[in-house]
Amino acid sequence: MAVESDKTGSDGKVWSFCSMPFWQTTHASSSSSSTSSMHNSVHHQSQILQSLDRSTHQPSTTVSSVAKSLLPTRRRLRLDPPNKLYFPYEPGKQVRSAIAIKNTCKSHVAFKFQTTAPKSCYMRPPGGILAPGESIIATVFKFVEPPENNEKPIDQKSRVKFKIMSLKVKGEMDYVPELFDEQRDHVAVEQILRVIFLDPERPSPALDKLKRQLAEAEAALEARKNPQEETGPRVAGEGLVLDEWKERRERYLARQQVEVVESV
């Protein structure tokens, strides 16, 4: 009987365990897995919201710096023609072009020419310093190579290019090319100029303008070489009488020093 009671108790325990509905165990496990998955999705959404919040609250300096880098450089010089150099096409000869350069800044600006063909091209002047509002007409010289392969003269394309650079300087000073090497971080490329050939036998507005600019450049060069002679005496404010007075005073002081030394 004892054995039967023990067996009956053990069978009851087994049946009590097996009598638990299967859907309850499945429901418990599924509910725990769904809870964990819901927690993971909420955590993922919170991370996305945090990243979005950080991106929207980033300082605008990065955007402004990028936008500033994309903006074109402000020009310091006004060029005429703005991006081309016109030359009369005369094969086997040295021809000239001209370009007007004006300082549009409120400070002094140095400019400098560069070319891809320094052996066959040169500029006059090759560089200089312009005061605010000052302008100059520069002359560019180029040797025109004869055409190859029976090309039409006016259809010949030139690979030569010119570059004009600018640099802000402090006040009046003598121009030296080393300025652009010493302050290369502040040098700006104003323009790349392409070479355009014109038919000298065919009148055109570009050819007429080139002739006028060349004439103005020659007149300015002659004026610098040969100052106008004055018909009468110049006033002291213009320097002539004042310079003569200075020379006389220096000679007088020199004689006084010689006399003092001799007397001693």
Side-chain angles (χ1 to χ4, degrees):
M1 293 296 293
V3 174
E4 283 187 8
S5 63
D6 293 340
K7 184 177 180 181
T8 306
S10 60
D11 291 340
K13 288 182 181 180
V14 172
W15 280 108
S16 65
F17 175 77
C18 295
S19 64
M20 181 181 294
F22 180 75
W23 65 269
Q24 290 184 0
T25 58
T26 308
H27 177 70
S29 60
S30 62
S31 63
S32 61
S33 61
S34 62
T35 304
S36 61
S37 63
M38 184 181 298
H39 178 72
N40 292 333
S41 63
V42 171
H43 181 66
H44 180 65
Q45 290 178 0
S46 64
Q47 286 182 341
I48 294 175
L49 291 175
Q50 289 178 2
S51 62
L52 289 174
D53 185 66
R54 285 195 301 268
S55 63
T56 52
H57 287 82
Q58 281 183 350
S60 59
T61 54
T62 305
V63 179
S64 62
S65 61
V66 172
K68 187 176 180 181
S69 64
L70 296 176
L71 292 175
T73 306
R74 185 178 179 181
R75 304 298 181 189
R76 301 165 181 164
L77 304 174
R78 183 189 301 164
L79 308 178
D80 186 24
N83 55 6
K84 298 175 183 177
L85 283 176
Y86 294 97
F87 290 89
Y89 187 77
E90 300 180 14
K93 295 183 180 180
Q94 187 182 69
V95 295
R96 297 179 302 162
S97 182
I99 183 170
I101 306 173
K102 183 176 182 178
N103 180 10
T104 58
C105 289
K106 296 181 179 179
S107 61
H108 287 67
V109 173
F111 70 92
K112 179 182 178 181
F113 274 99
Q114 281 188 344
T115 178
T116 56
K119 294 183 178 181
S120 60
C121 304
Y122 70 95
M123 289 68 65
R124 188 178 65 192
I129 296 178
L130 298 176
E134 185 181 1
S135 60
I136 188 176
I137 297 180
T139 307
V140 185
F141 297 82
K142 173 178 170 51
F143 179 78
V144 180
E145 298 289 342
E148 298 179 359
N149 300 326
N150 296 323
E151 292 178 338
K152 293 182 180 180
I154 206 63
D155 293 338
Q156 186 187 19
K157 297 180 181 180
S158 176
R159 297 181 181 178
V160 178
K161 294 182 180 180
F162 296 84
K163 179 168 65 175
I164 296 183
M165 301 180 297
S166 67
L167 172 67
K168 284 187 177 182
V169 295
K170 297 180 179 180
E172 297 182 2
M173 62 175 64
D174 294 334
Y175 170 78
V176 289
E178 289 75 17
L179 284 173
F180 288 83
D181 296 330
E182 297 170 357
Q183 306 181 39
R184 63 181 60 189
D185 295 336
H186 303 283
V187 174
V189 176
E190 290 290 332
Q191 190 60 261
I192 304 294
L193 305 172
R194 296 187 300 112
V195 173
I196 301 296
F197 288 117
L198 300 174
D199 188 352
E201 304 298 331
R202 180 181 301 176
S204 65
L207 185 61
D208 295 338
K209 183 177 181 179
L210 173 60
K211 291 180 179 180
R212 289 196 305 268
Q213 287 184 325
L214 289 174
E216 293 178 11
E218 287 296 327
L221 180 62
E222 291 298 325
R224 290 194 297 268
K225 286 183 177 180
N226 303 317
Q228 294 182 357
E229 297 181 358
E230 297 292 339
T231 56
R234 298 173 62 184
V235 298
E238 294 182 355
L240 185 60
V241 177
L242 188 62
D243 291 342
E244 185 178 355
W245 179 82
K246 286 183 178 180
E247 291 177 0
R248 291 181 180 179
R249 180 173 176 79
E250 289 175 357
R251 288 198 298 267
Y252 172 77
L253 293 176
R255 286 198 301 269
Q256 291 292 329
Q257 290 178 358
V258 171
E259 292 174 0
V260 171
V261 171
E262 290 177 353
S263 62
V264 172

